[in-house]
Amino acid sequence: MAVPLNAPDADLAAAVMAAGDRRAFGALVARHQQAVRALLIRLTRQSALADDLAQETFLKAWTRIGSFRAEGSFRAWLCAIAYSEFLMAARRARATQRLTDGLAAEPGETSTPPGPGGERVDLDRALAELSEEERTCVVLCYASGLSHSEAAQATGLPVGTVKSHVSRGRAKLKLWFERKEAA
Amino acid sequence: MMRPDDDFDTALRGLFDDAAPPARDPEFAGRVMARLPHLERWRAAAVTVAALAGAAVASVQAAPLVTGLAVVLEDAGALAAGAFSGQAIVMAAAGAAALGLALLLSRREPGLR
């Protein structure tokens, strides 16, 4: 019997694992595409690149679905793949110096994040002050809503390191906004 | 009691909530699904053909065994008035087993690549 499309993530993933159920996988893509794209836009600050990496993330998810464990969060598992895709893309781009230029650019110059609003630009500028690890951990925990342990699973870092990155990143963001208010 | 840090946490989460969601792309899932590998049918066909070929070769090689099994079946009275030969029944069983194995293997395409 076909699994209903509104079934929990674990049930849909089980249907994909058991029988390669494309319909169930399509439901998972539709359900999580926004979160994955949002994460990758935050990490890359380039919406076109983020969309490409998001597609690669889901293609990898399809081929690696057997490695998903139902006791974990499917979104955290996807975020781990997305982060891995981001790292690989960054490594490739660093080799050719193309993405590095894009990452170093001021938000709004080469990136085209969707949506209006000065707060978004402020947040992007503030995030640019963080190291890559700090930004990743802050985005995973605050934007993607992962717990520290889920973020640790996604990044492959120890939980304590994730906590430290989040704490430092958060402190830097707070300082950045305080300075902005004072200015 | 809420500390100033909690206030900032709340404000920060609010900023991400307001700014984070990219526009929902209704075509995104379609693009992903179009790129999924279409290997199931090819895989099933290839495995089925290979399995049947293997069964055919094995049956030729194992003709004495098949004949022996047919004799056993005939002795046990399993053949209905000689409508099918014992060899045909054994070959049909081997073919069905090979087909079942091929179908089973072809079902686990995700994760096997």
Side-chain angles (χ1 to χ4, degrees), chain A residues 123-137:
Chain A
L123 188 56
D124 284 337
R125 286 180 192 279
L127 285 171
E129 299 290 315
L130 274 51
S131 71
E132 188 175 302
E133 292 83 5
E134 290 165 353
R135 185 168 60 246
T136 299
C137 292

Side-chain angles (χ1 to χ4, degrees), chain B residues 92-103:
Chain B
L99 186 61
L101 178 63
L103 291 175

Side-chain angles (χ1 to χ4, degrees), chain A residues 3 31 58 64 76 105 139 144:
Chain A
V3 64
R31 190 177 293 177
F58 283 106
R64 293 182 191 169
V139 167
S144 299

Side-chain angles (χ1 to χ4, degrees), chain A residues 17 19-20 22 29-30 33-34 37-38 42 54-56 58-59 62-63 65 120 141-143 170 174 177, chain B residues 5 8-9 13 15-16 19 22-25 28-29 31 33 35-38 40 107-111 113:
Chain A
M17 268 186 258
R22 287 171 173 260
V29 175
Q33 54 118 337
Q34 209 168 6
R37 287 168 56 227
R42 284 284 167 222
Q55 283 193 39
E56 294 301 325
F58 283 106
L59 292 174
W62 170 260
T63 58
I65 192 78
R120 162 183 274 286
C141 292
Y142 282 90
R170 190 180 155 289
K174 190 175 181 187
F177 281 107
Chain B
D5 280 357
F8 181 70
D9 268 354
R13 286 184 203 285
L15 276 177
F16 275 113
R24 191 165 189 82
D25 184 352
F28 180 87
R31 288 197 297 274
M33 298 309 288
R35 290 184 60 194
L36 290 185
H38 286 270
E40 297 101 313
R107 291 187 70 188
R108 286 299 306 274
E109 184 240 336
R113 290 180 68 233

Side-chain angles (χ1 to χ4, degrees), chain B residues 27-49:
Chain B
E27 295 173 3
F28 180 87
R31 288 197 297 274
V32 171
M33 298 309 288
R35 290 184 60 194
L36 290 185
H38 286 270
L39 291 179
E40 297 101 313
R41 287 174 192 155
W42 286 107
R43 183 185 176 85
V47 173
T48 302
V49 168

Side-chain angles (χ1 to χ4, degrees), chain A residues 76-117:
Chain A
W77 183 73
L78 273 180
C79 285
I81 298 175
Y83 180 62
S84 164
E85 287 297 310
F86 163 70
L87 286 183
M88 282 194 291
R91 283 191 199 114
R92 282 195 302 267
R94 279 194 192 106
T96 59
Q97 292 295 308
R98 283 184 304 205
L99 183 61
T100 306
D101 294 340
L103 289 173
E106 281 290 301
E109 288 183 358
T110 57
S111 62
T112 53

Side-chain angles (χ1 to χ4, degrees), chain B residues 7-94:
Chain B
D7 289 340
F8 181 70
D9 268 354
T10 306
L12 191 54
R13 286 184 203 285
L15 276 177
F16 275 113
D17 286 345
D18 291 342
R24 191 165 189 82
D25 184 352
E27 295 173 3
F28 180 87
R31 288 197 297 274
V32 171
M33 298 309 288
R35 290 184 60 194
L36 290 185
H38 286 270
L39 291 179
E40 297 101 313
R41 287 174 192 155
W42 286 107
R43 183 185 176 85
V47 173
T48 302
V49 168
L52 290 176
V57 170
S59 68
V60 170
Q61 296 294 320
L65 176 64
V66 171
T67 306
L69 285 173
V71 170
V72 170
L73 285 173
E74 283 166 357
D75 287 350
L79 300 180
F84 300 100
S85 72
Q87 188 166 0
I89 291 177
V90 172
M91 288 300 295

